[in-house]
């Protein structure tokens, strides 16, 4: 029945219809249109067959051969996918390492060195496949990812996410100042590669359903020049894209940001 157009999951269904409210349907039914991957209806089981439920949800009679019923076991339940609003895909290799260090020391000792290795797109292909599969196994159906400064490896990240079927924002990290020589880029390269990445991701999506959306990603204020930030803002406006970055992570980083933009009244205002 895997070829059936519709699937109806029968069993415990959990969701939160409003903030602070947990709803548990112990005998629920959830219908999916496999041609689109979209949920078309959720209800309590009421004695109707799966085909009858689908017919109600789509507004026309559906033959039982077009519907597969899938019964959950007593220790299973369905819930909406989790959303991870901030995750660095290349950093999964050293999760939990360096918590004894202040932010900038941690970046210089671990992060920048490891991320610089993603100039090798073959490494990205091997590594990101495992990363995205792990994230999805943990129930995350949408994530906002930081990649690295490397155009091709970021494209690999976006392609991998789309192939696995997760929805995501993916950002090419931008760093044109206060960065180690082995992991930095010129302002011109940063802006050019960011726009190329945007075009590649949007152009690669033939269905135009955009499982993956580019997101403008200045790493954080200390590693981006004023010209870079202005250029990224222009790209966000041109392509109507979201923006992600970092803000006020610890006292020394805040002071560093102030020293980079001494005329700004606040850290947040630098991004204005």
């Amino acid at each position: 029945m895997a070829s059936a157009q519709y699937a109806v999951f029968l069993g415990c269904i959990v969701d939160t219809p409003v903030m602070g409210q947990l709803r548990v349907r112990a005998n629920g039914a959830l219908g999916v249109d496999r041609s689109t991957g979209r949920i078309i209806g959720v209800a309590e089981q009421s004695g109707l067959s799966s085909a009858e439920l689908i017919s109600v949800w789509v507004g026309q009679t559906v033959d039982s051969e077009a519907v597969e019923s899938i019964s959950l076991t007593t220790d299973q339940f369905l819930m909406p996918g989790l959303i991870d609003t901030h995750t660095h895909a290349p950093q999964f290799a050293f999760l939990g390492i360096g918590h004894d260090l202040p932010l900038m020391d941690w970046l210089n000792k671990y992060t920048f060195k490891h991320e610089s290795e993603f100039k090798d797109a073959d490494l990205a292909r091997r590594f990101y496949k495992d990363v995205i599969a792990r994230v999805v196994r943990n129930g995350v159906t949408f994530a906002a990812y930081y990649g690295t400064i490397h155009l091709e490896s970021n494209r690999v990240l976006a392609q991998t996410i789309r192939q696995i079927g997760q929805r995501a924002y993916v950002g090419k990290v931008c760093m044109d100042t206060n960065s180690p020589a082995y992991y930095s880029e010129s302002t011109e390269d940063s802006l050019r590669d960011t726009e190329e990445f945007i075009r590649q991701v949007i152009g690669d999506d033939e269905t135009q359903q955009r499982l993956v959306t580019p997101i403008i990603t200045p790493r954080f204020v200390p590693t981006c020049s004023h010209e870079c930030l202005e250029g990224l803002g222009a790209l966000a406006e041109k392509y109507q894209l979201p923006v992600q970055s970092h803000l006020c992570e610890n006292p020394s980083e805040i002071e560093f940001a102030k020293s980079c933009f001494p005329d700004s009244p606040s850290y947040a205002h630098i991004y204005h």
Side-chain angles (χ1 to χ4, degrees), residues 68-99:
E68 178 182 10
S69 297
I70 301 170
S71 296
L72 304 181
T73 63
T74 55
D75 60 350
Q76 293 178 322
F77 64 92
L78 293 180
M79 59 175 279
L82 301 175
I83 297 174
D84 188 337
T85 61
H86 185 109
T87 188
H88 290 258
Q91 293 180 17
F92 273 69
F94 55 96
L95 291 177
I97 295 176
H99 286 183

Side-chain angles (χ1 to χ4, degrees), residues 23 34 47 67 110 137-138 159 194 221 244 270:
R23 177 169 57 188
R34 283 181 165 146
V67 182
Y110 298 107
R137 282 198 307 272
N138 287 329
Q159 289 174 329
T194 295
V221 162
Q244 66 180 353
I270 299 170

Side-chain angles (χ1 to χ4, degrees), residues 174 176 187-188 190-195 198 216-218 224-239 241 243 261 270-272:
C174 298
D176 71 330
T187 306
E188 180 182 0
S190 184
L191 297 176
R192 183 197 63 236
D193 287 355
T194 295
E195 184 160 25
I198 292 168
I216 302 299
T217 307
C224 292
S225 66
H226 179 77
E227 293 75 18
C228 185
L229 292 174
E230 278 197 336
L232 292 174
L235 289 175
E237 184 174 358
K238 177 179 178 180
Y239 292 96
L241 294 175
V243 179
F261 293 84
I270 299 170
Y271 289 109
H272 190 270

Side-chain angles (χ1 to χ4, degrees), residues 3 7 33 48 81 107 192 194 199 212 219-220 225 246 268-269:
S3 61
D33 184 340
L48 296 178
L107 289 172
R192 183 197 63 236
T194 295
R199 290 173 173 168
V212 179
R219 185 177 203 108
F220 67 153
S225 66
H246 299 83
H269 191 269

